Amino acid sequence: MIGLGIESTAHTFGASVVSDNGRIMSNVKDVYKPPEGAGIHPREASRHHSDVAPKVLKDSLKKASKTYHDLDFIAYSAGPGLGPCLRVGATLARFISAYYDKPLIPVHHGVGHIELGTLLTGAKDPLVLLLSGGHTMILSAHDKRWRVFGETLDITLGQLIDQFGRSVGLSSPSGPQVEALASKGKNFVQLPYVVKGNDLSFSGILSAAKKSLKSVSVEDLAYSLQEVAFSMLAETAERALALTKKPEIMVVGGVAANKRLKEILSSVAERHGSELLIVPAEYAGDNGAQIAWPGALYRKHGYSVQPERAFIDQSWRIDEVEVPWRG
Ligand code: AMP
Ligand code: MG
């Protein structure tokens, strides 16, 4: 069985062909870049997606040496994400499904990050840190769902980094540039460390960092922001690890590419005799394979929706989603 996955939740339009034994036969994407200092504009991003979609889809099939006729299913990212962007992917998927008479499968974007992560790292039963643009969550699978053991109460870690980057004139997403600035920082400045129960709040760090820009260097602020935010995450992850006693910690989503975060989490994993697994950088950011692979897993369990019932949900929560292959 092979299928096509279409990703379009935010800045990325991606398409990938995978087989049900986990072979990624193609993974093509085109990423919308907002002007420097600006955030992602949903309408502009959706226009970008409409413009690049024909080529991305064509290239993805060509790379896999397949045609639409060869596909056994079409999966699309149904949420959470930006409405106009989600609609582009869902509409294309619905059309392809109806025209070629192929089963259609809506996939939760966060489930996509996690399941692709387990495919690529070999994780069996991990404590998951889902650190993408739209999610900051600590999760573990129980009874056919990903259960949340801690999450942000306001902005995500990725948004903290991107909004700080934007305030110093960087283009979004600015994770790699902020990381580079942070590596040059030397002096630690206090920023609000806010952990409530096992949840996190990052908005105070953003406000304080922006206010300090007049008196503190960008490098020192980037360094301090990373140290405080990553320590908060490590504290909550460690508590969840102590409770669940999982043998693996797996980090997925774009922020997983950060080297300093890896260092901090390595020491957490070591203290608990757990293995730290990080999704390969090439697959850390949004991509079609994270949609195609769960599509294959759902299809094996007989899931699909009628094209006229294809939905999108901009604020779809991950713990509402059934994942029948997770006991
Ligand atoms: P995703 O939604 O999974 O594509 O993740 C995008 C987020 O990952 C954005 O907020 C990026 O700024 C962030 N990101 C990417 N690379 C890094 C990095 N090296 N350090 C921290 N954050 C990063
Ligand atoms: Mg993502």
Side-chain angles (χ1 to χ4, degrees):
M1 180 167 71
I2 62 156
L4 174 74
I6 299 176
E7 158 58 29
S8 75
T9 52
H11 42 66
T12 301
F13 185 87
S16 163
V17 178
V18 304
S19 67
D20 64 343
N21 61 5
R23 196 155 76 85
I24 299 169
M25 301 164 74
S26 67
N27 198 22
V28 180
K29 62 160 114 170
D30 195 313
V31 181
Y32 160 76
K33 277 247 171 263
E36 286 204 357
I40 179 166
H41 189 302
R43 196 188 56 221
E44 294 303 321
S46 73
R47 250 186 218 159
H48 162 270
H49 294 354
S50 305
D51 288 347
V52 303
K55 180 159 171 33
V56 171
L57 286 165
K58 198 170 155 195
D59 289 354
S60 183
L61 286 166
K62 196 169 163 203
K63 211 157 177 211
S65 306
K66 299 290 173 195
T67 69
Y68 287 113
H69 294 283
D70 300 322
L71 301 171
D72 298 297
F73 66 85
I74 314 291
Y76 70 98
S77 52
L82 305 169
C85 298
L86 287 168
R87 245 167 254 126
V88 174
T91 305
L92 285 165
R94 187 187 298 157
F95 167 76
I96 298 165
S97 159
Y99 190 81
Y100 292 96
D101 193 20
K102 306 288 179 185
L104 181 64
I105 301 165
V107 172
H108 185 282
H109 178 83
V111 168
H113 274 299
I114 298 175
E115 296 302 343
L116 183 64
T118 60
L119 173 71
L120 297 170
T121 63
K124 299 275 176 306
D125 182 23
L127 181 77
V128 174
L129 306 191
L130 172 54
L131 309 176
S132 60
H135 285 95
T136 299
M137 275 186 173
I138 300 166
L139 307 118
S140 150
H142 292 273
D143 197 17
K144 300 184 172 34
R145 272 175 207 233
W146 286 103
R147 313 280 169 175
V148 180
F149 283 74
E151 63 184 308
T152 182
L153 298 170
D154 41 55
I155 55 172
T156 66
L157 186 49
Q159 285 162 347
L160 166 65
I161 290 167
D162 292 342
Q163 288 183 31
F164 172 73
R166 223 181 293 157
S167 73
V168 300
L170 302 173
S171 63
S172 275
S174 47
Q177 293 107 298
V178 171
E179 182 175 8
L181 287 170
S183 70
K184 293 191 201 117
K186 290 191 183 68
N187 307 302
F188 181 78
V189 290
Q190 291 289 343
L191 293 170
Y193 184 108
V194 185
V195 174
K196 297 182 180 178
N198 212 45
D199 289 329
L200 304 149
S201 165
F202 296 114
S203 58
I205 301 181
L206 180 63
S207 308
K210 278 183 176 170
K211 256 191 219 153
S212 306
L213 275 170
K214 286 192 203 98
S215 52
V216 183
S217 76
V218 177
E219 289 82 2
D220 284 346
L221 275 174
Y223 162 65
S224 307
L225 176 147
Q226 281 200 175
E227 291 304 305
V228 174
F230 294 169
S231 302
M232 287 163 53
L233 182 70
E235 179 196 324
T236 51
E238 183 155 10
R239 208 173 288 124
L241 194 59
L243 176 74
T244 58
K245 300 194 167 43
K246 295 286 174 185
E248 304 149 329
I249 309 182
M250 182 180 76
V251 192
V252 295
V255 187
N258 190 286
K259 300 217 171 47
R260 177 62 184 141
L261 179 65
K262 183 177 176 184
E263 254 172 38
I264 293 176
L265 293 175
S266 296
S267 64
V268 172
E270 207 173 297
R271 270 198 294 283
H272 293 266
S274 206
E275 190 184 359
L276 180 66
L277 300 165
I278 299 196
V279 68
E282 187 193 345
Y283 293 98
D286 295 349
N287 64 83
Q290 76 183 83
I291 304 305
W293 173 236
L297 296 173
Y298 277 118
R299 200 56 210 131
K300 280 191 207 175
H301 283 79
Y303 278 56
S304 68
V305 295
Q306 290 305 313
E308 59 276 18
R309 308 209 43 187
F311 63 90
I312 58 162
D313 185 343
Q314 293 182 56
S315 47
W316 201 9
R317 269 193 70 87
I318 196 166
D319 46 8
E320 291 169 359
V321 183
E322 217 177 318
V323 282
W325 55 89
R326 295 269 165 204

